[in-house]
Amino acid sequence: MIEIQQWEMRSPREPFCRATRRLEALDPREALVRVAGCGLCHTDLGFHDGDVKTHHRLPLTLGHEISGVVEQAGDGAEGWIGKAVVVPAVVPCGECPSCRRGRYALCPSQIFFGNDVHGGFASHVVAPVRALFEVPEDLRPRLATLAVVADAVSTPFEAIHRSGLSAGDVAIFVGAGGVGGFGVQIAAALGAHVIAIDISPDRRRLMLEHGARLALDPSGGDLSALRRQVRDHVQEAGLPSQEWKIFETSGSPKGQELAFALMTRGSHLGVVGYAKDSVTLHLSRLMALDARAEGNWACAPQRFPDVLNLIREDKIALGPFVELHPLSRINQLFADLTGHGLLRRAVLTPDFT
């Protein structure tokens, strides 16, 4: 008998409750991962607020940014026992027509932890071993903070990969908290000239210390003035005036409007943030500018080793962007996230007794 301690959501907008879940045994090729850390994402907030419905019926344990150590394994997976791992937020089947074409995000059998199955706000999580990525030994001391690799780091990595960004490109991130903060670092590591836009002075300061060449405050609401600031900076730096790579990572309607407004000829707009409210956009700008806009859902599995390598090479800093909190504070942390009281990505560490 396997016992899992967890904080479960029983109904939207209600406090999480501590509970025990029992399993008879693991299925073949499954692993029981003792959770070291689980990141708190705005998607979790959407589930908890009821704005986004979970696929799994309630009660459900949320949490999709998971790192930990394999404690038990089913038949055929015994070699994973004792390994430190990152569990990607979304796990495709790898066998369907979409997966065979490399369109993993379209997999109809994909598993989204904390949505399709129980997630990581728990002592343990059950995952298919095809989902696991082993953490190199030298990164193991940072295992809890590596939870953010599962989504907040790997998802902007996927967006940047799809954009075709290369050294010397102009890369603009609208929103520099969480996903955007890691995106700034990834783009800078790849040689781009990065501009970060965020309403928080603390985040702007942090971005200038970690890859951004310019950090702007959009809180005045004047899109034209902000666009001029960006264009003047790019011109003074002797950089191309077109084909900018723009990434919407704020997950807000205003951020989406701003990102769309910043497009120049040949731009690529990567939509990474999620906003529940609609925005009004002049879509013909895509035609007139010969630009393109693309969203991405999670990250292709084969790119996770590249993400971990950037961390090993200290090209992505996690420490200044992550805060560790005991999992027992989950209700307070969700309240803090709702009130925009968290400047760093919160990673919850199990503290069951």
Side-chain angles (χ1 to χ4, degrees), residues 107-297:
C107 174
S109 302
Q110 64 184 258
I111 299 170
F112 183 7
F113 289 94
N115 180 13
D116 298 307
V117 297
H118 290 284
F121 294 145
S123 61
H124 298 77
V125 67
V126 176
V129 292
R130 73 174 188 275
L132 306 180
F133 283 92
E134 185 175 358
V135 171
E137 191 64 30
D138 57 334
L139 289 180
R140 192 160 177 156
R142 294 190 273 168
L143 185 57
T145 59
L146 287 175
V148 296
V149 170
D151 183 16
V153 182
S154 57
T155 298
F157 186 93
E158 175 74 18
I160 290 167
H161 174 83
R162 291 191 187 188
S163 76
L165 181 143
S166 59
D169 284 345
V170 174
I172 304 171
F173 288 83
V174 180
V179 169
F182 294 121
V184 166
Q185 296 185 73
I186 294 166
L190 295 176
H193 187 102
V194 184
I195 299 170
I197 301 175
D198 198 280
I199 59 174
S200 165
D202 290 331
R203 286 177 180 157
R204 294 196 301 273
R205 182 169 56 252
L206 197 58
M207 288 296 90
L208 290 172
E209 296 171 357
H210 291 276
R213 305 291 188 88
L214 177 69
L216 297 174
D217 181 3
S219 57
D222 189 337
L223 297 185
S224 296
L226 197 62
R227 198 162 49 226
R228 282 195 300 274
Q229 283 181 280
V230 172
R231 287 177 175 167
D232 288 347
H233 172 80
V234 168
Q235 185 176 20
E236 290 170 7
L239 296 166
S241 61
Q242 57 187 27
E243 296 188 71
W244 296 348
K245 315 301 184 186
I246 302 165
F247 303 95
E248 202 301 295
T249 47
S250 73
S252 69
K254 288 184 178 179
Q256 292 177 343
E257 291 173 354
L258 172 57
F260 198 80
L262 287 171
M263 287 192 305
T264 58
R265 292 185 61 81
S267 283
H268 173 98
L269 172 59
V271 181
V272 185
Y274 171 78
K276 66 177 181 177
D277 296 323
S278 300
V279 297
T280 301
L281 302 172
H282 187 198
L283 279 179
S284 293
R285 293 194 72 228
L286 291 173
M287 175 275 295
L289 296 172
D290 196 22
R292 68 185 188 274
E294 179 180 16
N296 70 280
W297 170 253

Side-chain angles (χ1 to χ4, degrees), residues 2-221:
I2 297 170
E3 284 196 356
I4 297 176
Q5 302 299 315
Q6 60 194 30
W7 286 87
E8 61 185 24
M9 182 176 81
R10 295 179 178 173
S11 60
R13 298 186 180 87
E14 294 297 324
F16 293 89
C17 298
R18 182 171 169 173
T20 301
R21 180 162 56 97
R22 295 177 174 84
L23 306 174
E24 290 293 333
L26 297 172
D27 289 337
R29 306 295 295 172
E30 275 189 342
L32 180 72
V33 179
R34 174 169 47 82
V35 176
C38 185
L40 174 54
C41 176
H42 275 87
T43 304
D44 297 311
L45 187 61
F47 290 143
H48 185 245
D49 286 348
D51 296 327
V52 183
K53 292 188 179 299
T54 60
H55 293 161
H56 189 287
R57 62 181 176 81
L58 300 180
L60 174 67
T61 304
L62 302 182
H64 56 270
E65 291 186 341
I66 305 164
S67 63
V69 176
V70 177
E71 272 193 353
Q72 298 183 38
D75 292 344
E78 295 87 351
W80 282 92
I81 294 175
K83 293 185 182 297
V85 297
V86 168
V87 185
V90 180
V91 181
C93 74
E95 299 175 354
C96 69
S98 293
C99 286
R100 289 198 298 270
R101 289 187 290 111
R103 297 300 304 274
Y104 299 100
L106 304 182
C107 174
S109 302
Q110 64 184 258
I111 299 170
F112 183 7
F113 289 94
N115 180 13
D116 298 307
V117 297
H118 290 284
F121 294 145
S123 61
H124 298 77
V125 67
V126 176
V129 292
R130 73 174 188 275
L132 306 180
F133 283 92
E134 185 175 358
V135 171
E137 191 64 30
D138 57 334
L139 289 180
R140 192 160 177 156
R142 294 190 273 168
L143 185 57
T145 59
L146 287 175
V148 296
V149 170
D151 183 16
V153 182
S154 57
T155 298
F157 186 93
E158 175 74 18
I160 290 167
H161 174 83
R162 291 191 187 188
S163 76
L165 181 143
S166 59
D169 284 345
V170 174
I172 304 171
F173 288 83
V174 180
V179 169
F182 294 121
V184 166
Q185 296 185 73
I186 294 166
L190 295 176
H193 187 102
V194 184
I195 299 170
I197 301 175
D198 198 280
I199 59 174
S200 165
D202 290 331
R203 286 177 180 157
R204 294 196 301 273
R205 182 169 56 252
L206 197 58
M207 288 296 90
L208 290 172
E209 296 171 357
H210 291 276
R213 305 291 188 88
L214 177 69
L216 297 174
D217 181 3
S219 57

